[in-house]
């Protein structure tokens, strides 16, 4: 029974985000399995219907509160991840900005020294790029610069 419940919840976790009212699906699964569970408890311990329904009601209240709490935590985490990405990467090129680069390269140098690993670094310059921006404007130069950065990432691989 518990295996089916956890399998169902995992299935819902993957399937539900595509639907409009995800809480309804979770609440339905909890209501179904909770009803079966409290029905079995009622039979095993010979509980009266008042106590069984009261406990089932508490289960449903707890399930609703738990869903709301987990949903708030998930949304908060997603917002923090987006903010961290925005703060550490350039919007046009999607490459790390100077602060992120400095932190990352410091980690690589420290790890290389600590583990006695070889480390090499490459930088490249886009010739006459200022001329492109000055002649055609930033609206034309920006996409070309972003494409150059993507070629660099694709050719060298991201790590």
């Amino acid at each position: 029974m518990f295996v089916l419940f956890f399998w169902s919840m995992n299935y819902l976790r993957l399937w539900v985000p595509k639907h409009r009212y995800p809480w309804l699906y979770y609440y339905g699964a909890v209501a179904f399995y909770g009803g079966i569970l409290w029905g079995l408890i009622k039979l095993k311990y010979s509980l009266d219907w008042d106590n069984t329904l009261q406990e089932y009601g508490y289960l449903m209240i707890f399930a609703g509160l738990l869903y709301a709490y987990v949903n708030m935590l998930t949304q908060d985490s997603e917002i923090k991840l987006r903010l961290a990405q925005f703060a550490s990467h350039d919007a046009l090129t999607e490459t790390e900005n100077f602060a992120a680069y400095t932190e990352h390269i410091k980690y690589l140098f420290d790890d290389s020294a600590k583990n006695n690993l070889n480390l090499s670094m490459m930088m490249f310059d886009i010739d006459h790029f200022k001329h492109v921006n000055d002649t055609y404007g930033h609206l034309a130069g920006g996409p070309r610069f972003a494409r150059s950065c993507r070629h660099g990432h694709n050719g060298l691989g991201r790590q």
Side-chain angles (χ1 to χ4, degrees), residues 101 120-126 156:
Y101 166 79
S120 59
M121 192 166 106
M122 180 192 305
M123 295 176 68
F124 62 94
D125 184 25
I126 303 171
L156 300 174

Side-chain angles (χ1 to χ4, degrees), residues 51-125:
N51 284 340
T52 305
L53 292 176
Q54 182 180 17
E55 293 298 328
Y56 180 73
Y58 291 148
L59 171 71
M60 298 308 293
I61 291 169
F62 178 73
L65 293 173
L66 184 62
Y67 180 83
Y69 180 69
V70 169
N71 195 34
M72 285 188 303
L73 289 178
T74 303
Q75 286 179 351
D76 188 46
S77 297
E78 290 171 357
I79 290 170
K80 285 180 182 177
L81 285 173
R82 277 189 266 152
L83 284 174
Q85 174 76 12
F86 182 72
S88 64
H89 287 73
D90 179 69
L92 174 66
T93 63
E94 298 179 8
T95 58
E96 291 181 337
N97 61 20
F98 183 75
Y101 166 79
T102 304
E103 181 180 323
H104 190 91
I105 202 69
K106 181 181 181 327
Y107 167 77
L108 290 174
F109 275 107
D110 290 346
D111 185 54
S112 173
K114 178 182 171 186
N115 296 314
N116 198 24
L117 299 171
N118 294 328
L119 177 68
S120 59
M121 192 166 106
M122 180 192 305
M123 295 176 68
F124 62 94
D125 184 25

Side-chain angles (χ1 to χ4, degrees), residues 1 5 27-41 52 55-56 59-60:
M1 166 90 129
F5 174 71
Y27 214 63
V30 170
F32 176 75
Y33 287 108
I36 292 173
L37 178 66
W38 276 105
L40 293 173
I41 290 172
T52 305
E55 293 298 328
Y56 180 73
L59 171 71
M60 298 308 293

Side-chain angles (χ1 to χ4, degrees), residues 104 122 124 149-159:
H104 190 91
M122 180 192 305
F124 62 94
C149 291
R150 280 193 303 275
H151 286 305
H153 281 272
N154 293 339
L156 300 174
R158 291 180 94 169
Q159 294 184 4

Side-chain angles (χ1 to χ4, degrees), residues 92 129 132-133 136-147:
L92 174 66
F129 190 74
V132 172
N133 271 346
Y136 302 106
H138 290 278
L139 289 177
R144 285 180 174 72
F145 183 64
R147 187 174 56 219

